[in-house]
Amino acid sequence: MSQEKVDRYKKEKANRKQAVARERRNRYLSRIIIIAVIAAIVVWACFSIRSMIMASQGPTMTYINTEPITDYMNSLDAAE
């Protein structure tokens, strides 16, 4: 029984560096995934809020002064 414990300890000790590296990598990847999910939720929320605000404001009206174009067209008709 004691020899089994010693063998198991030696095996764990031999692979300890790899196991620690694997755990660090998994922690790092999980943090990146969590941050990406939170960022996606924040972007989606901002987009939804902006869409609701724009929908409540209604369409925007743009006014253009066309007098110079009309005057130019009239001057072309008068010249002919």
Side-chain angles (χ1 to χ4, degrees):
M1 185 74 174
S2 178
Q3 186 61 36
E4 290 177 18
K5 288 181 182 179
V6 171
D7 290 341
R8 188 174 25 173
Y9 175 76
K10 285 182 180 180
K11 187 177 178 183
E12 288 175 5
K13 186 176 179 182
N15 295 327
R16 189 175 296 157
K17 188 181 249 185
Q18 294 170 348
V20 169
R22 188 178 317 117
E23 288 175 14
R24 284 182 186 162
R25 183 180 63 238
N26 288 343
R27 251 187 276 138
Y28 181 73
L29 289 175
S30 65
R31 286 179 185 166
I32 288 175
I33 291 171
I34 289 171
I35 289 171
V37 168
I38 290 172
I41 290 171
V42 168
V43 168
W44 173 77
C46 290
F47 181 75
S48 296
I49 291 170
R50 182 179 179 273
S51 296
M52 289 172 37
I53 291 171
M54 296 300 282
S56 68
Q57 289 179 352
T60 58
M61 300 295 286
T62 305
Y63 297 100
I64 300 173
N65 184 6
T66 59
E67 285 183 28
I69 297 172
T70 306
D71 292 342
Y72 176 72
M73 296 298 284
N74 288 338
S75 69
L76 289 178
D77 288 338
E80 291 179 6

